[in-house]
Amino acid sequence: MRKNDPATNNREIERKFLLRQLPDKLKRSRHYIIEQGYLATESAGRQVRLRKKDKSASLTFKVGRGAHREEREIRLSQKQFAALWPGTAGRRLRKVRYEIPWKNLLIEVDVYRGRHAGLVVAEVEFPDRVICRRFRPPPWFGREVTGDKRYSNVRLANE
Amino acid sequence: MRKNDPATNNREIERKFLLRQLPDKLKRSRHYIIEQGYLATESAGRQVRLRKKDKSASLTFKVGRGAHREEREIRLSQKQFAALWPGTAGRRLRKVRYEIPWKNLLIEVDVYRGRHAGLVVAEVEFPDRVICRRFRPPPWFGREVTGDKRYSNVRLANE
């Protein structure tokens, strides 16, 4: 989930799930195309990602694996983005993101395009660890894949 | 060497040398403090570097080793830099860079500070491969260390 203030430095607490089925309200939900690529990635989840979401561009630094990660994000101008984007060649992916409000949370459903068409995952970000632990997935959620490298975007972008 | 246009995407052609002695004109040369750190680095020289040089901040993507590298650089606002800089903790270095015009070229002498105090290297960037090959180092240059990982800034920043 994007932060309200793009310069905010903080820890993300989120969980990721496969979907048993697409929710009925999917098509009526707010959605947009995300295009992202990786400039550099290390083990331990350290990565620098470029992302374009509608017309807004960003650069995000992440480190750590699983439900708790450190994340630092800045907005980029179109010119800054254009200068760096070629560096992500061969390490990109596209997906449509649907935002589905659910109880007091927001479920983000990512429908992958291109090579990974058919893959659909849901991510939920939590305001704290207690709410994260207590989360009861809706019935249309499938297996939890939080921290599963096979479903990391870095891995998918490189496959 | 910094590019005139920070958004220019190009290949760097440069060579790096140890110094036998400091040149006489060093202290009279233009110089400034460089502080840099790495958000992420991979093998094959792939890296994302943050740098502060006087008051200007930049983010640079590099890939490749040795004399020929691809480099993409953008300027960052102070706010963008401040948001990302903490991500480089433990992967930083400081040096004073002296710019010494030499024939039609510019020699950059880097005098390291902190843990690497005592280390001095010179870098020369060339407009093309022919001039690069034909370069005759001045007598105060020592051994060439182009592509030698021991003197890569990434390695020094992580030591």
Side-chain angles (χ1 to χ4, degrees):
Chain A
M1 193 190 300
R2 300 301 93 233
K3 301 308 163 299
N4 293 329
D5 174 0
T8 300
N9 301 330
N10 62 347
R11 304 210 149 253
E12 271 193 321
I13 307 175
E14 64 184 27
R15 293 169 68 180
K16 188 186 280 192
F17 298 83
L18 298 181
L19 288 197
R20 206 179 294 281
Q21 61 187 67
L22 294 176
D24 295 336
K25 51 192 162 192
L26 189 74
K27 293 294 175 195
R28 284 173 282 124
S29 305
R30 202 163 87 89
H31 60 277
Y32 40 83
I33 290 176
I34 288 178
E35 203 160 3
Q36 65 192 42
Y38 295 85
L39 287 176
T41 62
E42 294 181 25
S43 55
R46 187 177 271 261
Q47 55 172 258
V48 179
R49 183 190 74 193
L50 294 180
R51 177 181 268 185
K52 203 158 211 172
K53 194 172 101 176
D54 279 340
K55 275 160 201 162
S56 86
S58 59
L59 180 146
T60 307
F61 166 76
K62 295 191 187 194
V63 62
R65 279 220 190 286
H68 310 287
R69 311 189 72 183
E70 182 186 335
E71 180 173 321
R72 300 177 183 279
E73 181 166 297
I74 58 170
R75 275 177 196 279
L76 296 181
S77 69
Q78 296 299 316
K79 192 181 161 192
Q80 288 176 317
F81 182 85
L84 296 175
W85 182 246
T88 66
R91 299 161 165 240
R92 296 176 183 164
L93 56 81
R94 290 180 79 214
K95 53 191 180 181
V96 183
R97 170 162 292 178
Y98 297 86
E99 294 185 348
I100 303 174
W102 194 79
K103 298 190 175 173
N104 287 324
L105 300 166
L106 184 70
I107 295 174
E108 294 174 326
V109 173
D110 285 349
V111 177
Y112 287 81
R113 293 277 183 88
R115 277 165 309 160
H116 300 292
L119 176 62
V120 182
V121 304
E123 279 194 324
V124 191
E125 187 175 343
F126 304 96
D128 63 50
R129 292 176 185 221
V130 175
I131 295 170
C132 175
R133 260 198 316 274
R134 288 185 183 158
F135 175 67
R136 293 253 163 248
W140 44 278
F141 270 36
R143 184 161 66 84
E144 178 161 10
V145 295
T146 306
D148 184 332
K149 291 181 191 175
R150 279 173 299 179
Y151 299 102
S152 84
N153 282 301
V154 168
R155 177 77 79 87
L156 294 169
N158 281 288
E159 269 169 5
Chain B
M1 193 189 299
R2 300 302 93 237
K3 301 308 162 299
N4 293 329
D5 175 0
T8 300
N9 301 329
N10 62 346
R11 301 209 151 254
E12 279 194 309
I13 307 175
E14 64 184 28
R15 294 170 68 181
K16 187 186 280 191
F17 299 82
L18 298 181
L19 289 197
R20 207 179 293 282
Q21 61 186 68
L22 294 176
D24 295 335
K25 51 191 160 191
L26 189 74
K27 293 295 174 193
R28 284 172 282 123
S29 305
R30 203 164 87 89
H31 60 276
Y32 40 84
I33 290 176
I34 288 179
E35 204 160 1
Q36 64 191 43
Y38 295 86
L39 288 176
T41 62
E42 294 181 24
S43 54
R46 187 177 270 262
Q47 54 170 259
V48 179
R49 182 190 74 193
L50 294 180
R51 178 181 268 185
K52 202 158 212 172
K53 195 173 101 175
D54 279 338
K55 274 160 201 161
S56 87
S58 59
L59 181 146
T60 308
F61 166 77
K62 294 191 187 194
V63 63
R65 279 220 191 284
H68 310 286
R69 310 189 70 182
E70 182 186 335
E71 179 173 321
R72 300 176 183 280
E73 181 167 297
I74 59 170
R75 274 177 196 279
L76 296 181
S77 70
Q78 296 299 317
K79 192 180 162 192
Q80 288 176 317
F81 181 85
L84 296 175
W85 182 246
T88 66
R91 298 160 165 242
R92 295 176 184 165
L93 56 81
R94 291 180 79 215
K95 53 190 180 181
V96 182
R97 170 163 292 179
Y98 297 85
E99 294 185 347
I100 303 175
W102 195 78
K103 299 190 176 173
N104 287 323
L105 300 166
L106 185 70
I107 295 174
E108 294 174 326
V109 173
D110 284 348
V111 178
Y112 286 81
R113 292 278 182 87
R115 276 166 309 161
H116 300 292
L119 175 62
V120 182
V121 303
E123 279 192 324
V124 191
E125 187 175 344
F126 303 96
D128 63 51
R129 293 177 185 221
V130 175
I131 295 170
C132 175
R133 262 199 313 274
R134 288 187 183 157
F135 175 67
R136 292 253 162 248
W140 43 278
F141 270 37
R143 183 162 66 84
E144 177 161 10
V145 294
T146 306
D148 184 332
K149 291 181 190 175
R150 277 173 300 179
Y151 299 102
S152 85
N153 283 300
V154 168
R155 176 77 79 87
L156 293 169
N158 280 288
E159 268 169 2

